[in-house]
Amino acid sequence: CINTKLYVKNISFNTEPFDLNKHFSQYGEVLSVEVPKNKSNGRNNGYALVEMKTEQEAQAIINNFNETLFKDSKIKISIAQE
């Protein structure tokens, strides 16, 4: 499988898909952003799935944004395991 889907852990609870789309589009074309919400309180679950157009773009995101602060939270990014 092509490694273009990223698992983004430890996002802040006020992070919306739009925020990640804008941030990650610095390094390529973002195809989709999923931020699963907790049904009981409406906040996100602290992680997101972001799909980039190419493997190179996905790797650039990891290289540049893994272990960096985003909206006051240190995010961890890896290739999502299907």
Side-chain angles (χ1 to χ4, degrees):
C1 74
I2 304 173
N3 298 321
T4 56
K5 191 170 268 193
L6 299 168
Y7 179 61
V8 186
K9 286 197 307 195
N10 203 39
I11 61 173
S12 62
F13 289 116
N14 63 349
T15 298
E16 294 294 332
F18 165 80
D19 301 316
L20 287 165
N21 195 327
K22 186 175 176 189
H23 192 54
F24 284 20
S25 65
Q26 295 175 69
Y27 287 98
E29 188 178 339
V30 178
L31 297 183
S32 68
V33 181
E34 288 176 62
V35 179
K37 300 272 183 170
N38 182 310
K39 287 179 178 59
S40 63
N41 62 19
R43 299 194 312 181
N44 72 52
N45 290 324
Y47 73 94
L49 292 167
V50 179
E51 188 170 4
M52 301 300 292
K53 187 167 185 171
T54 69
E55 287 188 63
Q56 290 78 11
E57 291 169 353
Q59 196 58 54
I61 296 296
I62 294 172
N63 294 345
N64 289 282
F65 293 148
N66 187 36
E67 302 276 342
T68 62
L69 281 179
F70 179 66
K71 298 189 74 150
D72 299 323
S73 191
K74 187 188 258 193
I75 56 174
K76 294 183 179 356
I77 309 170
S78 58
I79 297 295
Q81 304 303 315
E82 290 298 331

